[in-house]
Amino acid sequence: MKKTRLFTSESVTEGHPDKVCDQVSDAILDEIMADDPLGRVAVETLVTNGTCVVAGEVTTGCYVDIPKVVRQTIKEIGYTRAKYGFDYETCGLLVAIQQQSKDIARGVDKALEIRGGEVVKEDLEGLGAGDQGLMFGFACDETEELMPLPISLSHKLTKKLAEVRKTGELSYLRPDGKSQVTIEYEGNKPVRVHTVLIAAQHGPDVKMEQITSDIIERVIIPMLPNSLVDDNIKYYVNPTGRFVIGGPQGDTGVTGRKIIVDTYGGYSRHGGGAFSGKDPTKVDRSGTYAARWVAKNIVAAGLASKCEVQLAYAIGIAHPLSIMVDTFGTGKIDEAKISALIDEVFDLRPGLIIKHLDLRRPLYKQVASYGHFGRLDLDLPWEKTDKAAELKKKAG
C-alpha cells in the first residue's frame, strides 16, 4: 500500500504588502534596464501605514523618476482610494539610493579567473558572480508547466482572486489576499485536493456569508481540476470572520519576504536569496533562474520525473563552485552522468547565463507576483525547454 501524505503551499495577491514591495523594486529595475541594460541595481522597498520607503544601491548612466515609478506601480496594484488604507497619490515616499560599492563592482566587472590570466572570447565571459551563495532550481512532471501542484494551484487561485476584483465581478474585494492549498499524495502522485484556504480583503458592508459563497463559487471551484475534487474537500474563507483592514495599513511589507511563494511553495529546497530589485549580475536571481532552466530541461528530456539542481557561487568568481543534482530516485540514468551532461550542455557562468537567457532587459516586474516559475501566461526564457532534445540525445 502506498504511503499517503499531505503537502501545502501558499500564494499571495499582488496587493499583499510584501508583494507590493517586490513589484515596486522590480518596476524600478525594469525602468533602468529599459534605458541602461548594464545598470547595477539592488533596490529594497518597505511599505507601512501611509508610507513607502525605497532604498538601495544603483549605478547607472540613465535618469529614472523613481517617485513616479513607485506611485504608478501602487496605482496599478489597486491602492487607489484612501479608504483602502493606502493610496498611491497621498502615501508618503522616501527615497534613499546610493551607488554600488566599488569593492563589489571590481569582482563583478572582472572575475578572479580573468584577473588570473584566463583568456576570454567576449566581455560577458569575464563577469564574476555578484555575491556568494547557493541557489536551487526544481522541476517535476506533476503539472503541464513542470511545477509542483500545490504552488501551481495556489497561484491560480490568487490570480483569479485579483481578476474578479479588477473586473468588478466581486466589487467589494480589496487588493490584499492569500491562498493556501493542501494536496493529498499517494507516494509521489497527487490524488486529491484536501483543503483550500482563501483570505480575501473586503469592504466593511458585505456579509461573511456572501463572501464565502462568492469565493467558493467564483474563485475556488473554477480553478480546481475536477479529477482531484471530491465531496470531502475542505474550504475555508476568511477564517477570522473579517478582513477589512489589510495591505500596508494592516501589515508592514518588505521586499524579498515571499521567497517560497516566488519559487516552489516549499516543495523544493531554497538557498535563501530573494529576487526582486536585483539586476542579473546578482546570482541570487540569475543563478536561480538558470537552475530552474537546467532542472526543467532535464525533466522535459525524460531523464527524470523530478529533479532538483543546486548551484553555488563565490563573489568575484565566474564558474560555479559546485553543481549538485538530485532526482529523488526518479532518474533514468545515473545522477553523476546527469551532472556531467549539465556541465557539457549549459555554461553557468553569470555572464553566459545573462547572454543565453537575455536577462538585460525589462522583464522582471511581471514575475514579481504570482511566481517566477511555471508561468504559462508569460514568455520567460528560463522556462524554455530548448536544451531538452540535446540532453536526451547526449544521454543516449
Side-chain angles (χ1 to χ4, degrees):
M1 182 177 179
K2 291 185 178 180
K3 182 179 178 181
T4 298
R5 62 186 175 93
L6 301 178
F7 190 87
T8 303
S9 294
E10 71 159 351
S11 178
V12 298
T13 66
E14 62 216 59
H16 184 281
D18 291 329
K19 274 289 145 213
V20 171
C21 295
D22 287 343
Q23 290 165 93
V24 167
S25 294
D26 272 339
I28 294 169
L29 172 62
D30 275 359
E31 196 74 13
I32 293 170
M33 288 287 106
D35 289 337
D36 180 11
L38 300 180
R40 300 282 170 80
V41 183
V43 172
E44 314 289 342
T45 304
L46 177 147
V47 293
T48 189
N49 193 6
T51 304
C52 177
V53 179
V54 177
E57 298 78 47
V58 174
T59 302
T60 180
C62 71
Y63 171 75
V64 174
D65 188 342
I66 290 179
K68 181 179 178 181
V69 173
V70 172
R71 294 189 189 279
Q72 180 62 31
T73 302
I74 295 170
K75 178 182 180 182
E76 291 170 1
I77 291 168
Y79 287 109
T80 56
R81 305 181 68 180
K83 71 177 185 178
Y84 294 167
F86 196 72
D87 173 46
Y88 79 101
E89 288 185 301
T90 61
C91 68
L93 177 57
L94 173 64
V95 178
I97 299 289
Q98 61 181 335
Q99 283 196 334
Q100 184 185 62
S101 161
K102 293 181 180 179
D103 291 345
I104 295 174
R106 71 185 298 268
V108 177
D109 295 338
K110 188 175 289 187
L112 179 66
E113 295 94 322
I114 311 308
R115 285 178 272 136
E118 183 177 306
V119 177
V120 300
K121 297 177 181 178
E122 57 179 307
D123 290 342
L124 282 172
E125 290 188 25
L127 284 182
D131 202 352
Q132 71 177 53
L134 50 136
M135 299 85 209
F136 288 94
F138 182 80
C140 63
D141 60 5
E142 289 182 15
T143 61
E144 177 188 1
E145 61 270 32
L146 302 186
M147 286 287 285
L149 183 61
I151 189 64
S152 178
L153 290 180
S154 295
H155 285 322
K156 288 178 180 178
L157 289 169
T158 48
K159 286 186 71 177
K160 186 65 174 178
L161 191 61
E163 178 188 315
V164 297
R165 169 179 64 87
K166 291 181 174 181
T167 62
E169 184 178 346
L170 298 181
S171 58
Y172 56 78
L173 290 179
R174 293 180 177 178
D176 199 357
K178 290 184 175 184
S179 69
Q180 188 168 289
V181 177
T182 301
I183 298 295
E184 183 176 317
Y185 286 81
E186 286 185 359
N188 288 320
K189 182 180 178 182
V191 293
R192 62 182 291 267
V193 180
H194 182 277
T195 304
V196 177
L197 167 63
I198 295 287
Q201 187 188 13
H202 57 85
D205 300 324
V206 62
K207 300 293 185 183
M208 193 59 226
E209 293 78 8
Q210 181 183 347
I211 297 172
T212 300
S213 175
D214 286 345
I215 294 296
I216 292 175
E217 179 183 342
R218 304 191 193 192
V219 176
I220 299 177
I221 291 177
M223 293 296 102
L224 300 183
N226 292 331
S227 60
L228 298 181
V229 175
D230 60 26
D231 294 337
N232 296 319
I233 188 171
K234 298 176 183 177
Y235 299 115
Y236 295 102
V237 178
N238 288 2
T240 68
R242 181 178 171 88
F243 186 7
V244 174
I245 300 173
Q249 181 187 26
D251 191 12
T252 296
V254 181
T255 299
R257 283 208 302 206
K258 285 290 174 281
I259 58 175
I260 300 303
V261 171
D262 285 342
T263 53
Y264 308 101
Y267 201 98
S268 171
R269 285 170 281 197
H270 197 295
F275 306 145
S276 291
K278 297 177 181 177
D279 75 80
T281 65
K282 279 74 173 175
V283 283
D284 279 342
R285 180 161 228 160
S286 55
T288 307
Y289 289 172
R292 161 66 176 173
W293 180 42
V294 172
K296 187 173 184 181
N297 274 272
I298 289 169
V299 173
L303 303 186
S305 58
K306 185 185 295 186
C307 180
E308 183 179 77
V309 174
Q310 186 205 50
L311 306 177
Y313 290 92
I315 188 168
I317 298 177
H319 293 277
L321 302 186
S322 65
I323 301 173
M324 181 279 296
V325 175
D326 189 348
T327 62
F328 306 93
T330 70
K332 304 300 189 293
I333 62 174
D334 188 74
E335 288 173 354
K337 186 172 182 180
I338 295 176
S339 295
L341 286 173
I342 292 172
D343 198 43
E344 184 178 351
V345 174
F346 299 91
D347 193 324
L348 297 171
R349 288 175 288 176
L352 276 297
I353 293 171
I354 290 170
K355 177 186 177 182
H356 294 318
L357 299 183
D358 192 15
L359 297 180
R360 281 181 164 159
R361 56 194 172 102
L363 52 79
Y364 300 107
K365 181 184 173 185
Q366 63 183 342
V367 292
S369 54
Y370 310 119
H372 293 243
F373 307 124
R375 297 293 299 273
L376 296 178
D377 56 322
L378 301 173
D379 183 23
L380 301 174
W382 54 87
E383 289 297 307
K384 296 185 185 302
T385 53
D386 52 335
K387 300 291 187 180
E390 183 180 358
L391 285 167
K392 189 173 185 178
K393 182 179 179 180
K394 289 181 180 295

